[in-house]
Amino acid sequence: DGEAILSFCVDSGLSDTSPDEGLIEDLTIEDKAVEQLAEGLLSHYLPDLQRSKQALQELTQNQVVLLDTLEQEISKFKECHSMLDINALFAEAKHYHAKLVNIRKEMLMLHEKTSKLKKRALKLQQKRQKEELEREQQREKEFEREKQLTARPAKRT
């Protein structure tokens, strides 16, 4: 096809006619030659260009799919990372909960001990007061006894 166009161009340019003769014919012939050359060029390169265009479209589509997949994987990774953070927070909360439970047990134990100590202190105070009262009563009895034992002047009538 290309050889036919080339021989046509060569044949039309090598005529023995004067330059003014057939000027209009030459223009139409040149237009036809340009059109045929363009058609030949297109027919030669167009299939490759169309295949390249199709391949580029497939590549672009594959890139879009890969980007979507990558975004999904990134979001999964972020979820896993946040789950690790949540697990760490739960572990820390469990640790502090155990500390609070121990503190509460210690506070209850200390409350019981202070209650027992208060009861004991009250009993001791009551016992001391009772002993003090008994001593005071004993002193009074002894004082009364001594008073009764001391000589009294006899009553004269």
Side-chain angles (χ1 to χ4, degrees), residues 30-118:
E30 285 179 21
D31 287 343
K32 285 182 183 178
V34 168
E35 188 178 320
Q36 287 177 347
L37 283 171
E39 285 177 11
L41 189 65
L42 283 175
S43 68
H44 181 71
Y45 289 107
L46 192 61
D48 289 338
L49 288 173
Q50 287 176 337
R51 280 193 299 274
S52 297
K53 180 181 177 182
Q54 181 65 29
L56 285 173
Q57 286 175 340
E58 287 178 21
L59 282 174
T60 304
Q61 191 174 11
N62 287 341
Q63 279 182 334
V64 168
V65 169
L66 282 174
L67 284 174
D68 288 343
T69 305
L70 186 61
E71 286 177 6
Q72 290 173 358
E73 292 300 317
I74 288 172
S75 67
K76 286 179 186 177
F77 178 74
K78 286 180 180 177
E79 272 184 37
C80 288
H81 196 351
S82 65
M83 289 300 286
L84 291 176
D85 290 343
I86 290 172
N87 287 338
L89 286 175
F90 275 120
E92 192 175 359
K94 186 177 178 182
H95 172 73
Y96 284 116
H97 181 264
K99 277 188 167 185
L100 285 173
V101 167
N102 286 337
I103 290 171
R104 184 167 186 218
K105 285 180 184 177
E106 287 179 24
M107 288 177 68
L108 288 173
M109 184 180 66
L110 289 173
H111 177 71
E112 287 177 15
K113 283 184 178 182
T114 56
S115 296
K116 287 179 183 178
L117 285 174
K118 284 181 182 178

